[in-house]
Amino acid sequence: DKSVRIWEISPNGVVPKLAYNHEGPALCCSFSKDGQRLVSGGCDNKVRMKVLATQQEQVIGQHDAPVKEVFCVDEMNMVVSGSWDKTLRFWNCQQPTPVATLNLPERVYSMDVKFPLLVVGCADRHLLVYNLQNIQANPQPYKQGQTALKMQTRTVACFPDKTGYAVGSIEGRVSVAYVEDTSKNFAFKCHRSNEEIFAVNSIDFHPSMGTFSTCGGDGTFVFWDKENRQRLKQFNSCGLPVTAGKFNAQGDMFAYAVPYDWSKGHESNHPSLPKALMIHKVQEAEVK
């Protein structure tokens, strides 16, 4: 619906704080570390920034196609965006032109940043790893190749310790990959029933435990432990796809989205289908 909405969660409930619009569907958003600024991208090809305290809003960047991913990189005082125009662009919020543009082999489908690690998952299973600490001196990717999965990439997430990343595909599979010690790499199946295989729509790492969540088209989200290669907690199905899921900064809440995921095309999209944002209170035992 083109809107970006910000909610405040308190013990008494969830309160809408503020909202603003893109000129096309909004595809991504990201907070700065202090939570004071929000950047977002969408099908209007624009990167927007909202300062929460002043409610000041500005367009800080522009692509030649929809903006699929955007992140605040506070350590560089920059915003990085990835687009279907096959570029990564860095913005300093002072000038309308990008500080740097990196050409990619394909459209950006997913991206994650844990400074100095930047991982980009593109169409055709291309995957690029950048070291942001020396990106100005050397704009080439630190590593480049294709994912260990046979099907299209849906989501990537960096480990909190920055030694690697996880990739989820449309074929109910997750690959756990290390940047240096590739002998520790492995992949596993998830979000499948006896009859059907569903997409892994979203992966997010717990901020302090190093365990991670996957959200799937089967209507479930699951918490995993990559060190011991085991499932920690499987939650009951919502009956609708879970398209996104994220831990908060403290790691005591997990927010997830339950709308239609377009996996069966537009003919299965009915206005009557629920579109909900849910909050799960995380128990320590679930993520430890």
Side-chain angles (χ1 to χ4, degrees):
D1 64 357
K2 308 178 188 175
S3 75
V4 178
R5 302 181 189 191
I6 298 159
W7 309 82
E8 185 166 57
I9 296 150
S10 68
N12 309 327
V14 181
V15 187
K17 287 297 280 185
L18 61 111
Y20 64 93
N21 283 343
H22 279 262
E23 290 152 34
L27 298 181
C28 53
C29 63
S30 161
F31 278 105
S32 58
K33 273 212 172 70
D34 62 9
Q36 291 305 305
R37 291 170 302 140
L38 182 74
V39 291
S40 58
C43 294
D44 54 3
N45 307 356
K46 292 186 169 82
V47 181
R48 293 173 187 272
M49 175 183 280
K50 186 86 167 175
V51 180
L52 302 198
T54 62
Q55 303 219 1
Q56 178 196 357
E57 185 190 327
Q58 68 181 108
V59 175
I60 60 165
Q62 175 93 28
H63 276 269
D64 305 324
V67 180
K68 179 62 177 66
E69 296 287 352
V70 64
F71 286 91
C72 289
V73 188
D74 296 337
E75 295 85 351
M76 301 169 73
N77 288 323
M78 291 213 201
V79 171
V80 58
S81 54
S83 164
W84 293 342
D85 67 8
K86 306 184 188 178
T87 67
L88 280 185
R89 297 186 183 180
F90 291 83
W91 314 93
N92 66 3
C93 313
Q94 314 296 323
Q95 61 188 59
T97 51
V99 182
T101 299
L102 303 182
N103 292 312
L104 301 168
E106 255 297 348
R107 290 151 292 164
V108 173
Y109 279 177
S110 183
M111 183 163 95
D112 195 22
V113 181
K114 294 265 194 312
F115 187 85
L117 178 65
L118 165 68
V119 178
V120 189
C122 297
D124 290 345
R125 299 176 32 248
H126 288 285
L127 192 121
L128 301 94
V129 176
Y130 290 92
N131 178 354
L132 292 176
Q133 254 163 342
N134 58 10
I135 194 108
Q136 275 145 331
N138 178 16
Q140 294 307 311
Y142 181 70
K143 295 224 164 149
Q144 181 174 3
Q146 289 190 299
T147 69
L149 305 175
K150 295 187 180 71
M151 297 281 179
Q152 178 184 311
T153 303
R154 179 55 63 88
T155 178
V156 299
C158 299
F159 302 168
D161 68 4
K162 304 153 192 176
T163 58
Y165 52 89
V167 182
S169 79
I170 59 168
E171 188 233 354
R173 226 178 257 271
V174 169
S175 148
V176 173
Y178 290 79
V179 177
E180 302 299 346
D181 187 1
T182 53
S183 68
K184 291 176 18 190
N185 291 6
F186 67 97
F188 62 92
K189 298 175 191 167
C190 51
H191 299 291
R192 296 170 173 222
S193 67
N194 294 334
E195 296 81 38
E196 276 190 278
I197 295 174
F198 297 90
V200 179
N201 288 323
S202 169
I203 298 176
D204 192 47
F205 279 86
H206 188 277
S208 56
M209 296 293 186
T211 48
F212 66 96
S213 63
T214 60
C215 299
D218 60 342
T220 67
F221 59 96
V222 187
F223 294 166
W224 307 87
D225 175 355
K226 72 173 167 44
E227 301 307 323
N228 299 307
R229 301 192 182 187
Q230 66 184 21
R231 183 169 64 196
L232 292 170
K233 173 88 177 172
Q234 164 119 23
F235 295 87
N236 294 335
S237 174
C238 318
L240 278 167
V242 182
T243 55
K246 261 203 165 342
F247 292 102
N248 66 340
Q250 291 78 38
D252 59 359
M253 285 191 284
F254 181 75
Y256 59 100
V258 187
Y260 176 57
D261 65 354
W262 300 95
S263 59
K264 295 183 168 68
H266 68 89
E267 53 274 14
S268 295
N269 181 35
H270 302 293
S272 59
L273 284 173
K275 300 171 187 67
L277 279 175
M278 313 287 279
I279 307 280
H280 168 71
K281 283 207 162 74
V282 177
Q283 310 300 317
E284 195 175 335
E286 296 170 351
V287 290
K288 198 166 183 180

